[in-house]
Amino acid sequence: MTSRVAVARPTDGNEDAVRSISLTDELFGKLEAKIRSGDLVPGSRLPTQKEIAETENVSRTVVREAVARLMAQGLAVSRQGSGMFVADTAEYRAFQITRDELNELADIVKLLEMRLGVETEMAGLAAARRTTADIGAIQDALQVMQDQQGDPVAAAKADTAFHLAIARATQNDYYARFVEFLGLRLVPPRNLYLRDQPAEAHKAYAAKVQAEHEAILEAIVRMDPQRARDAARHHMQESLTRHSMLSATARSKGRNG
């Protein structure tokens, strides 16, 4: 009788990490869906981590990470000595866009589609209601953005500050809170669109964005709401078009790869 010897195959640590993340995402999605659908009602006790691991055939580490994400998003709470429970306020949880959700181009396109309407009306209100102090704040952010064109991270921070200053100029706190909530997620990273492109391409891109921002600022300074809406919509549409085309190209390469 010939015996067969199992030979251990070396595993790639990165592949293991990616698989773990994928399993965590999948498990989190299942638990979230059960909570949102009412299968797990607010106040009900979640199965133990051991029970979930056995039922879903995943490791305890995957379960811990998925449950931790439920807690971070306000869907679950831990009660010492009693276990994990669905949060009483789970069905009213706040709207969230996590950093993890913006790793893919398709997700950035979705966010830009939403911002298209928000930013358009925000600019119009800012033009109608802005104060002299608001104009100064918008101009300062735009100047910093121009000065930091060679530093994508600093430029992105200044870009966010520019949009936040416009939000505050609406005199509507909800616009400001929304922009503050998005933070740096508001601005798609330049290197995502210009990966592997020469420095000249980065400079041209920065100059184009700067010109679009200046058009918005000029309309707000002139207190011209319609012109401000048009400029803001043009700026957002340009960004949406750029990233939509990039996303389509990525999908095409994925199919043909």
Side-chain angles (χ1 to χ4, degrees):
M1 180 176 178
T2 303
S3 61
R4 300 180 64 183
V5 179
V7 179
R9 296 175 58 188
T11 59
D12 187 315
N14 290 332
E15 290 182 0
D16 290 343
V18 170
R19 175 172 168 74
S20 178
I21 292 172
S22 177
L23 289 172
T24 299
D25 290 341
E26 185 177 341
L27 179 57
F28 169 78
K30 286 182 179 180
L31 295 173
E32 181 189 30
K34 287 183 178 181
I35 292 172
R36 291 175 65 83
S37 68
D39 287 346
L40 290 171
V41 299
S44 64
R45 187 178 182 279
L46 289 171
T48 66
Q49 292 189 11
K50 180 181 178 181
E51 290 170 339
I52 296 175
E54 292 176 350
T55 301
E56 299 295 335
N57 193 29
V58 294
S59 70
R60 293 284 289 274
T61 299
V62 168
V63 177
R64 281 196 299 271
E65 291 175 351
V67 171
R69 193 180 300 180
L70 288 176
M71 295 178 64
Q73 296 207 13
L75 292 171
V77 293
S78 176
R79 296 176 184 169
Q80 190 171 5
S82 300
M84 192 70 60
F85 292 79
V86 178
D88 291 334
T89 58
E91 59 185 313
Y92 306 111
R93 71 188 180 96
F95 168 74
Q96 293 190 32
I97 300 175
T98 67
R99 186 178 299 275
D100 291 341
E101 290 178 290
L102 294 181
N103 286 332
E104 299 294 334
L105 267 169
D107 296 318
I108 290 175
V109 168
K110 290 177 185 177
L111 179 58
L112 288 171
E113 287 176 344
M114 184 179 70
R115 284 184 57 204
L116 180 63
V118 173
E119 297 269 357
T120 297
E121 290 308 311
M122 189 170 79
L125 288 175
R129 301 172 179 174
R130 88 328 181 256
T131 65
T132 301
D134 291 325
I135 291 299
I138 299 171
Q139 289 174 329
D140 288 346
L142 196 57
Q143 184 61 54
V144 172
M145 190 175 173
Q146 185 171 16
D147 294 341
Q148 299 294 336
Q149 284 186 6
D151 184 341
V153 174
K157 289 182 179 180
D159 197 335
T160 300
F162 173 82
H163 288 277
L164 179 56
I166 292 176
R168 288 172 174 161
T170 66
Q171 316 307 325
N172 182 331
D173 290 343
Y174 292 149
Y175 275 109
R177 285 165 58 183
F178 178 68
V179 173
E180 286 176 334
F181 159 72
L182 289 176
L184 287 179
R185 289 165 292 189
L186 187 80
V187 181
R190 187 194 306 174
N191 59 358
L192 184 64
Y193 175 66
L194 297 173
R195 63 179 63 170
D196 303 323
Q197 295 294 311
E200 291 74 14
H202 285 260
K203 290 181 181 179
Y205 176 84
K208 179 175 177 56
V209 172
Q210 189 75 8
E212 292 170 5
H213 282 173
E214 288 174 354
I216 298 171
L217 171 60
E218 182 180 356
I220 292 175
V221 170
R222 293 178 179 275
M223 300 192 77
D224 188 332
Q226 188 54 54
R227 188 174 175 182
R229 290 190 186 95
D230 291 343
R233 185 172 185 82
H234 173 73
H235 172 52
M236 293 307 308
Q237 188 65 63
E238 286 291 297
S239 184
L240 179 56
T241 299
R242 287 191 291 265
H243 289 85
S244 294
M245 291 176 63
L246 190 60
S247 180
T249 300
R251 287 198 304 271
S252 178
K253 288 182 178 179
R255 288 193 298 267
N256 298 328

